[in-house]
Every structure is written in C-alpha cells, then in structure tokens.
Amino acid sequence: MTSRPSVEQFLRTFHDRDPGKQSVSIREVLTPDGRTAYEAFADRVGDADRVLDLGCADGELLSVFADHGAQRLAGIDLSVNELAFARRRPELQHADLRVGRAQELPWEDESFDAVVSHMAFMLMSEPDQVAAEAARVLVPGGRFAIAVGSGGAEESAALEVFRSLALPLFRAARGQGLLPRFGDQRSRTREGLDEILGPVGFAPVTWERITIRHRSTPLAVWQDNAETFYELSVVPKDEVAELRERFLAEVEPLAVDGLVPWAMGINVAATRLVGGGA
C-alpha cells in the first residue's frame, strides 16, 4: 500500500496539473434563472466592498464579486498554477492573491467585509482553525458564506449512473492509499457547520439549496463528471476508459434528441460574525 497523500498535497497536485479546468464547466451549468452557481452563490453574500475567497483556485468567483462592484479582492489557494491563471484575468489585476493555507491567513485582523468559500471549506483539514481565522480577518458583522455539495436532484439520473459505476473504483483507490480523507464531515451539514462556527463568534447559519441544471450530449456529461470528481484522477487509465464506455452505454437511453438532462445541488450556508469566540 502506498503512503496516503495529505489533502493539501493531493489538491495542490491536482490543481497545478490543469488550472482553470473546473470553472469552464461551471460556466456551462446554470440555475433555473440562467445564472452560474458562482453568480447565485455571490447573491447570497450581498454587497461587500472587501472580499476574501478561501480556496479561490483560478479566480472565477472573485471575478463575479468584481462585477458586483467589490473594490478589494483577495484570495488564498494551495495551487501556484491556479493563482497564475487568476492573475491573468484583467478584473483581478489588482487582487491580493496568495499561495497559502486557510488555517494560517496572512492578513491583518478585521481586513474584510465578507469571507467566502465555494466547495473548498468542506475539503479542508482543521475546519475549526479555518473558522477562527475567518472570524479574525472579518469586521464585526462581517459575512461568511460557504457552499458545499448536496448531491443530485430529481433530474439527475445521469449523475447517479456515474456515481453508481464509479464508486467501486473510488473505494478501491482509497483502500490502496491513493486518496486522502477529504475534510471533516461536519463541514457538509447545517448542524455541523454551526458546531464549527458558533464557538468563534458566528451566528447560526442560514441554509439554502441552489440547483443547477444542464442538457448535454452523453459525452459532454461524462466529461463534466470526469473533471468534477477528484477521485477519478487516481484511477488507472484503463479502468477510466472502461468506466467511460459503461457510462455512455447506460446513459444513452436517457437522451432525448441527443441530449441528456442532469442536475445537481449545492447547499449555501451563510452567517455573520456577531461576537468573539471562547
């Protein structure tokens, strides 16, 4: 059995390999009112002049806040290559983008009006320390918004096909020590987030589901899933090729006029900093 990589080692390697990849699929998958998941998520934060993104990757979410009028944008990420991609965005020319860990933020106390983390907080180790750091850099009353995955939706037969076929491969990879143990399960539930955030001064979170939907060819649905699931990156290539063929064969009957409908959900937890922690 190989030595299991740490979460941070795994994520750094994954994102350095192909920066900007995941934001491409996010732009193509829309909410019922025609917005991306990032745009819908940003709306839950409201107006904020100074915004910090934890796990900012290629800067797509920060670009949305730039469009919303935020004047000071900052982000931290493990991946040098993702940050280099972000710095090439004209709207992020003056953003403060740093390589580092959310558990050790390099900004002064009360530097931001809002801290956000889209599908990243749930992967992080030491979430209690991340929460403490978020509280430290926020002004009193500052907002903290976290997006976590919530699985499929009623139109998600294609997604469930992928998961049912891929899960045995993912379990095998984890058993062989190829995958880290991502995050803390408390980070994925409303009650768990309150347990993490409350002791450092955050109010109980609000909890709202965003559903994103798309219609794609079976091959495009495969590609979207292949780029979304970290676990697939460590599955042997021959097994990935076999999985692809099995997936396409099972999804093909779901297509209408050559397109397969699919959907997935994102839960948004939002809160404010109301008092000092213990």
Side-chain angles (χ1 to χ4, degrees), residues 98-116:
R98 306 195 194 187
V99 178
R101 307 174 69 239
Q103 296 86 347
E104 303 170 10
L105 296 178
W107 289 280
E108 296 180 356
D109 296 0
E110 300 187 11
S111 295
F112 298 99
D113 307 307
V115 174
V116 299

Side-chain angles (χ1 to χ4, degrees), residues 35-109:
R35 295 177 299 163
T36 69
Y38 282 152
E39 290 168 337
F41 174 71
D43 280 353
R44 275 60 180 183
V45 177
D47 294 331
D49 191 54
R50 301 172 297 169
V51 180
L52 169 63
D53 187 359
L54 307 181
C56 65
D58 65 17
E60 181 85 5
L61 178 57
L62 285 173
S63 292
V64 173
F65 282 103
D67 290 341
H68 285 195
Q71 295 300 303
R72 181 188 177 193
L73 298 168
I76 194 165
D77 201 89
L78 298 168
S79 170
V80 172
N81 291 347
E82 290 278 26
L83 292 175
F85 190 105
R87 291 187 182 100
R88 293 195 291 270
R89 297 175 181 269
E91 65 276 18
L92 300 184
Q93 181 179 357
H94 301 295
D96 184 3
L97 305 176
R98 306 195 194 187
V99 178
R101 307 174 69 239
Q103 296 86 347
E104 303 170 10
L105 296 178
W107 289 280
E108 296 180 356
D109 296 0

Side-chain angles (χ1 to χ4, degrees), residues 137-160:
V137 300
L138 276 170
V139 297
R143 285 158 285 184
F144 190 17
I146 301 167
V148 301
S150 71
E154 60 275 11
E155 299 93 341
S156 296
L159 185 58
E160 295 310 312

Side-chain angles (χ1 to χ4, degrees), residues 184-246:
D184 183 318
Q185 286 301 310
R186 294 177 300 161
S187 313
R188 299 173 183 266
T189 69
R190 183 175 191 168
E191 296 76 14
L193 284 169
D194 280 338
E195 182 181 326
I196 294 168
L197 300 174
V200 294
F202 288 103
V205 301
T206 61
W207 189 257
E208 183 177 359
R209 179 185 172 94
I210 297 173
T211 300
I212 51 177
R213 309 174 191 274
H214 198 33
R215 288 174 57 85
S216 305
T217 65
L219 185 59
V221 175
W222 160 262
Q223 192 63 38
D224 284 339
N225 282 291
E227 294 178 352
T228 298
F229 284 85
Y230 288 115
E231 295 90 340
L232 200 62
S233 67
V234 300
V235 175
K237 290 183 179 179
D238 60 332
E239 295 182 18
V240 173
E242 181 181 351
L243 173 63
R244 176 180 178 275
E245 295 309 309
R246 292 178 63 194

